[in-house]
Amino acid sequence: MPEAAAIPKQPVTDELITQEVLARVGTNPTAFSGADNPSAAWRLMLSDTPGAYPLYRDLEEKDGQISSALETRKEGVLRRERKLVAVSSSAADERRAGFAREVLAAIPNFENILYELLDAAGYGFTAAEILWEQDGSTVFIRDIKARPQELFAFGAPGLPQTGPLQFSSVARSPMLDGRSLPQHKFLVYSFHPRHGNRRGRPL
């Protein structure tokens, strides 16, 4: 007798990364301002810690060659044709594919979301929060918001970053620090991860 399909859990519809959390991080590109010793910044970038991301952001903002290379890579990907097809020609699968197309088409600024996710080539990984909406028995995506890399980790500080997505200590909140994140709440794109390191390979 075939095993019964598991009933999906209700999605987490709350927005976890609030404006209050974002205000704690601060994403203005001022990481190199006033730095007298570039070696210290270089060591931080090699340390594979959340503190390196302001440096990557600063480089992208202020180094024309780096920003141009990243822009060219992202534009090259976004110019390619995209399409969503049903897994089979059955009526049920065609309906599912049609619903998925409608959901994606209704997401605000979807092209810009893809653009931000492609930042992984420069930063190693990107994470975006999915804002789910539920209307009766129908679940759909209300919005997707890219989030600063500093807020996330894939393991405890100093340990391999190979585990599930969690909030990092940079969030500086007892409610968030080290908290495991709900499944299907965040999109994560790791760029060329090596040895399972989900932080990927940044600049």
Side-chain angles (χ1 to χ4, degrees):
M1 182 176 179
E3 186 177 342
I7 299 175
K9 294 182 179 179
Q10 296 296 313
V12 176
T13 56
D14 294 338
E15 187 169 355
L16 299 183
I17 308 298
T18 63
Q19 290 300 312
E20 180 183 0
V21 175
L22 291 173
R24 293 194 194 102
V25 177
T27 55
N28 292 325
T30 58
F32 284 102
S33 298
D36 297 324
N37 184 0
S39 296
W42 178 245
R43 284 194 296 270
L44 184 60
M45 293 170 72
L46 291 176
S47 66
D48 196 26
T49 62
Y53 294 109
L55 299 174
Y56 298 140
R57 197 170 291 119
D58 205 2
L59 283 171
E60 183 183 6
E61 291 288 333
K62 296 177 180 177
D63 189 304
Q65 187 173 0
I66 290 176
S67 62
S68 177
L70 292 175
E71 185 77 13
T72 299
R73 178 187 286 269
K74 289 191 278 189
E75 291 293 341
V77 173
L78 293 175
R79 279 198 298 266
R80 297 184 66 85
E81 180 185 5
R82 300 190 301 270
K83 61 181 178 179
L84 192 155
V85 298
V87 70
S88 76
S89 58
S90 71
D93 284 337
E94 290 290 355
R95 284 196 301 272
R96 294 186 186 102
F99 175 72
R101 293 188 197 101
E102 291 178 9
V103 170
L104 292 177
I107 296 174
N109 301 315
F110 185 61
E111 193 78 9
N112 188 64
I113 293 165
L114 296 178
Y115 182 90
E116 290 192 83
L117 286 172
L118 290 171
D119 277 343
Y123 295 77
F125 84 98
T126 45
E129 183 175 1
I130 303 173
L131 302 183
W132 296 102
E133 191 78 30
Q134 187 163 5
D135 183 8
S137 61
T138 302
V139 176
F140 57 94
I141 298 173
R142 173 165 48 90
D143 203 355
I144 300 175
K145 296 184 178 182
R147 301 306 194 185
Q149 288 87 347
E150 298 96 309
L151 288 174
F152 303 100
F154 301 95
L159 295 180
Q161 299 295 300
T162 57
L165 185 72
Q166 64 185 53
F167 283 121
S168 74
S169 58
V170 177
R172 295 193 295 273
S173 168
M175 294 181 62
L176 299 181
D177 187 8
R179 173 180 169 183
S180 295
L181 295 170
Q183 192 176 17
H184 309 309
K185 179 60 176 169
F186 287 84
L187 294 172
V188 177
Y189 171 30
S190 297
F191 182 75
H192 290 178
R194 179 177 288 172
H195 308 309
N197 183 359
R198 297 189 66 192
R199 287 197 194 278
R201 297 173 62 188
L203 288 169

